[in-house]
C-alpha cells in the first residue's frame, strides 16, 4: 500500500467515511446525533404522517377491496408494501430506542480512528482496509436501494410507452391501487393523477432512504470490530518475537488486554442494539421470501409482472445475507485471535506474571466473538437454515395450491 494511503487514517471519521448513509439518516431525521427539539418533532410528524397515510390506504385496499373481490395476488402485492412500512417503522424504533448506544458506537469508531494516527504502518493499513470494506457495504445498499426504488418508475414508463405504441395513450399510476370511491372515480384526472404519483413516489423514496441509511450500520460496526481484533492479533504475535524484559512484556500484555476489553465492549453494544432486529429479519425472511416467490409464479401465470415482488425478494435476501456473512467474518477474527494468543510463543518465557496474564487472555478469548440474536448466533450456518426453511415453506405452498 502506498504511503499516501497509509496517511489517510489521520483524517478518518464516521461522517466523512460514510457520506452515502449519513446524509440520508439526517434527511429522514433518524441520525443518532441529530438534535431533537420542537422543530424536529414537527418535521418528523409531517414526514412520517404522509408515509403512514399511504400504509392506511394499502390496508384499506386489502381489507375492503382485494379480499372482498377475491383478488389474492393484488392483496399480496399491497401486503408486501405494508411489510416495507413495518420494516421502516421498526428501523426507526431501533434508531430511537438505542439512540445513545448507537451514538456511543459511532463515537468509539471515531476515537479508534484518532488513535490510529499513532499506530505502526501495518496497523494503519488494517484500519484503512476495514474502513474501505465498510464503504463497500454502503455502496452495495445504495445500488440495491436505487434499483428497488427505480423498478417502480421504470415499469410505469415502460407501460406508458407500450400502451402509447400498441393502442392509445393512457395514464399509468406509479402503483395501481383501489382507493375509496371519492378518489377512485377521479384518479385518472390529470391533476389527481399527478398528486397520487407524487404521493406514492414519496412513499417509495422515503422507504429507500431508510433502507440505504440504516441497513449497512450493523455490518459496518462488525467490520470495525474485525479490524480491532486483527490489530490485537498482530500485537500479541509481536510480543514474544524479540527478547524483552519481563516488565516490558507484562506492560504490553496489559495494553493488549485493555485494548481487547474495549473491543469486546464495542461488540456487546452492537449486539445489544441489533439482536432483536436480526432475529426478526431472519424469521421474516423464512416467511416472506417463499410467499413472495409463490406469488411471482402465480402472477406470471396470469400474464402479469409485479416488480414489487422482485424488490421484496432481493431486499429480504440482502437484509439477511449481509449481516450473517459479516458476523461470520467477526467470528473468524475472534478464532484467529484465540489461536494467536495460544501460539504467540509464551511457552519460552518463564516469568510467572506473564503466564498468568496469558492464561487470563486465553480465558477471555475462549468465548466466541459473534453477534447473537435472542436464540442463535448470526452466521452463515443460521442463514443456510433460514434458506432451507424458506424452501420447505415454498414447496408446501406450491403443493397445497397446485
Amino acid at each position: 500500500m502506498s504511503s499516501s494511503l497509509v496517511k489517510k487514517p489521520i483524517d478518518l471519521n464516521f461522517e466523512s467515511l460514510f457520506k452515502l448513509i449519513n446524509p440520508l439518516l439526517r434527511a429522514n431525521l433518524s441520525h443518532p446525533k441529530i438534535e431533537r427539539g420542537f422543530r424536529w418533532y414537527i418535521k418528523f410528524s409531517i414526514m412520517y404522517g404522509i408515509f403512514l397515510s399511504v400504509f392506511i390506504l394499502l390496508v384499506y385496499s386489502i381489507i375492503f377491496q382485494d379480499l372482498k373481490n377475491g383478488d389474492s395476488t393484488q392483496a399480496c402485492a399491497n401486503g408486501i408494501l405494508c411489510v416495507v412500512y413495518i420494516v421502516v417503522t421498526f428501523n426507526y424504533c431501533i434508531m430511537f430506542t438505542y439512540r445513545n448506544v448507537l451514538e456511543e458506537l459511532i463515537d468509539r469508531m471515531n476515537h479508534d480512528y484518532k488513535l490510529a494516527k499513532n499506530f505502526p504502518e501495518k496497523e494503519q493499513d488494517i484500519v484503512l482496509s476495514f474502513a474501505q470494506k465498510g464503504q463497500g457495504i454502503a455502496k452495495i445498499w445504495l445500488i440495491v436501494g436505487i434499483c428497488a426504488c427505480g423498478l417502480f418508475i421504470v415499469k410505469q414508463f415502460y407501460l406508458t410507452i407500450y400502451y402509447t405504441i400498441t393502442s392509445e395513450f393512457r395514464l399509468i399510476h406509479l402503483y395501481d391501487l383501489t382507493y375509496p370511491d371519492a378518489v377512485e372515480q377521479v384518479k385518472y384526472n390529470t391533476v389527481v393523477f399527478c398528486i397520487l404519483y407524487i404521493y406514492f413516489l414519496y412513499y417509495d423514496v422515503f422507504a429507500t432512504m431508510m433502507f440505504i441509511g440504516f441497513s449497512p450500520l450493523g455490518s459496518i460496526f462488525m467490520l470495525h470490530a474485525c479490524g480491532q481484533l486483527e490489530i490485537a492479533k498482530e500485537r500479541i504475535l509481536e510480543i514474544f518475537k524479540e527478547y524483552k524484559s519481563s516488565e516490558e512484556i507484562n506492560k504490553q500484555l496489559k495494553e493488549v488486554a485493555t485494548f481487547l476489553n474495549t473491543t469486546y465492549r464495542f461488540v456487546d453494544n452492537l449486539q445489544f442494539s441489533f439482536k432483536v432486529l436480526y432475529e426478526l429479519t431472519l424469521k421474516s425472511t423464512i416467511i416472506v421470501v417463499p410467499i413472495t416467490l409463490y406469488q411471482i409464479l402465480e402472477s406470471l401465470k396470469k400474464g402479469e409482472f409485479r416488480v414489487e415482488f422482485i424488490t421484496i425478494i432481493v431486499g429480504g435476501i440482502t437484509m439477511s445475507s449481509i449481516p450473517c456473512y459479516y458476523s461470520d467474518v467477526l467470528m473468524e477474527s475472534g478464532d484467529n485471535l484465540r489461536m494467536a494468543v495460544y501460539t504467540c510463543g509464551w511457552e519460552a518465557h518463564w516469568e510467572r506474571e506473564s503466564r498468568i496474564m496469558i492464561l487470563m487472555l486465553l480465558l477471555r478469548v475462549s468465548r466466541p466473538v459473534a453477534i447473537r440474536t435472542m436464540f442463535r448466533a448470526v452466521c452463515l450456518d443460521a442463514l443456510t437454515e433460514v434458506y432451507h426453511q424458506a424452501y420447505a415453506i415454498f414447496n408446501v405452498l406450491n403443493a397445497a395450491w397446485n
Side-chain angles (χ1 to χ4, degrees), residues 39-65:
R39 294 179 60 184
W40 179 89
Y41 283 104
I42 295 297
K43 289 181 181 178
F44 178 76
S45 299
I46 295 173
M47 292 172 61
Y48 186 80
I50 298 173
F51 187 64
L52 173 62
S53 66
V54 179
F55 170 73
I56 293 173
L57 280 177
L58 290 168
V59 174
Y60 167 84
S61 182
I62 293 172
I63 296 175
F64 296 102
Q65 301 294 335

Side-chain angles (χ1 to χ4, degrees), residues 4 45 51 73 75 94 98 143 149 154 168 189 202 210 222 225 271 278 294 298 327 333 340 362 375 378 381 385 387:
S4 60
S45 299
F51 187 64
T73 302
I94 295 292
Y98 302 108
I143 294 172
C149 178
V154 170
E168 60 181 15
N189 177 278
Y202 175 86
M210 176 53 86
M222 290 181 205
Q271 177 174 308
Y278 289 150
Y294 176 77
E298 289 299 306
S327 180
S333 298
L362 284 171
F375 303 106
V378 181
D381 289 340
E385 183 182 345
Y387 288 156

Side-chain angles (χ1 to χ4, degrees), residues 56-282:
I56 293 173
L57 280 177
L58 290 168
V59 174
Y60 167 84
S61 182
I62 293 172
I63 296 175
F64 296 102
Q65 301 294 335
D66 304 330
L67 296 180
K68 186 177 180 181
N69 298 328
D71 191 350
S72 60
T73 302
Q74 183 61 40
C76 284
N78 293 339
I80 287 169
L81 292 187
C82 290
V83 170
V84 172
Y85 166 83
I86 293 171
V87 172
V88 170
T89 302
F90 189 75
N91 290 347
Y92 266 114
C93 292
I94 295 292
M95 296 296 284
F96 294 162
T97 303
Y98 302 108
R99 177 191 177 188
N100 294 334
V101 181
L102 293 171
E103 186 175 2
E104 183 179 340
L105 289 171
I106 294 173
D107 290 340
R108 183 69 243 176
M109 286 183 66
N110 286 330
H111 181 70
D112 291 339
Y113 291 145
K114 289 180 180 178
L115 294 178
K117 298 176 184 179
N118 302 316
F119 285 176
E121 180 177 319
K122 187 176 182 179
E123 294 182 2
Q124 287 189 2
D125 289 345
I126 294 172
V127 172
L128 180 58
S129 172
F130 282 95
Q132 290 174 335
K133 290 178 181 178
Q135 288 178 316
I137 295 175
K139 291 177 182 177
I140 290 174
W141 270 107
L142 178 66
I143 294 172
V144 172
I146 290 177
C147 289
C149 178
L151 276 176
F152 289 90
I153 301 173
V154 170
K155 179 184 177 182
Q156 186 264 337
F157 273 107
Y158 170 78
L159 290 178
T160 301
I161 295 172
Y162 173 79
Y163 286 121
T164 302
I165 295 175
T166 58
S167 54
E168 60 181 15
F169 173 78
R170 66 176 71 176
L171 294 174
I172 304 297
H173 286 269
L174 185 64
Y175 183 77
D176 195 14
L177 185 68
T178 303
Y179 299 92
D181 293 338
V183 180
E184 185 68 21
Q185 295 174 1
V186 295
K187 72 177 184 179
Y188 288 105
N189 177 278
T190 305
V191 176
V192 177
F193 170 83
C194 292
I195 293 174
L196 293 178
Y197 189 94
I198 296 173
Y199 193 47
F200 270 95
L201 183 61
Y202 175 86
Y203 186 87
D204 196 13
V205 173
F206 189 87
T208 301
M209 287 172 58
M210 176 53 86
F211 280 115
I212 297 174
F214 175 80
S215 299
L217 282 179
S219 301
I220 288 172
F221 293 144
M222 290 181 205
L223 278 172
H224 181 72
C226 289
Q228 298 300 293
L229 293 175
E230 185 71 19
I231 290 173
K233 185 191 79 170
E234 294 297 328
R235 292 181 179 179
I236 282 286
L237 293 175
E238 290 292 328
I239 291 178
F240 294 98
K241 274 189 175 181
E242 301 175 356
Y243 174 79
K244 299 173 184 174
S245 64
S246 298
E247 290 77 10
E248 187 176 359
I249 289 175
N250 293 337
K251 178 183 177 183
Q252 291 181 356
L253 286 173
K254 289 178 182 178
E255 290 175 350
V256 170
T258 302
F259 187 86
L260 280 178
N261 283 335
T262 302
T263 303
Y264 285 143
R265 193 178 307 118
F266 181 90
V267 174
D268 289 341
N269 286 339
L270 169 58
Q271 177 174 308
F272 177 72
S273 303
F274 288 89
K275 65 179 181 180
V276 177
L277 173 67
Y278 289 150
E279 179 66 35
L280 293 180
T281 298
L282 295 177

Side-chain angles (χ1 to χ4, degrees), residues 17-31:
L17 268 176
F18 305 108
K19 294 179 181 179
L20 294 177
I21 65 177
N22 278 292
L24 296 178
L25 291 177
R26 291 189 179 276
N28 65 17
L29 305 178
S30 65
H31 197 287

